[in-house]
Amino acid sequence: DTTSTTPLVVSGNTGNGLLLRTVTGVKVANCHVGVDAAGNAARANGADGIRLEQAPNNEIGDPSVTNRRNVISGNNGAGIYLGDDSYDV
């Protein structure tokens, strides 16, 4: 949603924050993954912040539009993990 100024907070999960498996066309935007709502303090997910498995052709943020940027930090695994066949992100 490019009109919302409130980010979706995906933090404090015991596993991955977001798992995209065998999907295409997903847009992950305006999210704070592994941090608090302000984006200032770590609130780690137990594994990767965003994990893609067999999930090509997805979009993770858009730095050219302010409300489509993501903050991904503080996770116990990778910030963004690209598994097999997930290279067209």
Side-chain angles (χ1 to χ4, degrees):
D1 178 7
T2 60
T3 61
S4 175
T5 58
T6 304
L8 173 65
V9 179
V10 183
S11 300
N13 296 293
T14 57
N16 299 305
L18 296 172
L19 173 60
L20 305 179
R21 181 181 287 150
T22 63
V23 297
T24 60
V26 174
K27 295 181 181 182
V28 177
N30 196 21
C31 294
H32 284 184
V33 182
V35 295
D36 64 5
N40 296 324
R43 300 285 185 266
N45 290 298
D48 302 320
I50 301 174
R51 184 179 183 95
L52 293 95
E53 297 177 355
Q54 298 175 355
N57 302 312
N58 293 291
E59 183 179 302
I60 308 296
D62 182 348
S64 67
V65 180
T66 301
N67 291 352
R68 293 187 57 81
R69 296 177 183 163
N70 295 301
V71 177
I72 303 168
S73 182
N75 298 288
N76 289 330
I80 300 173
Y81 175 85
L82 300 177
D84 294 339
D85 299 325
S86 296
Y87 45 83
D88 290 330
V89 176

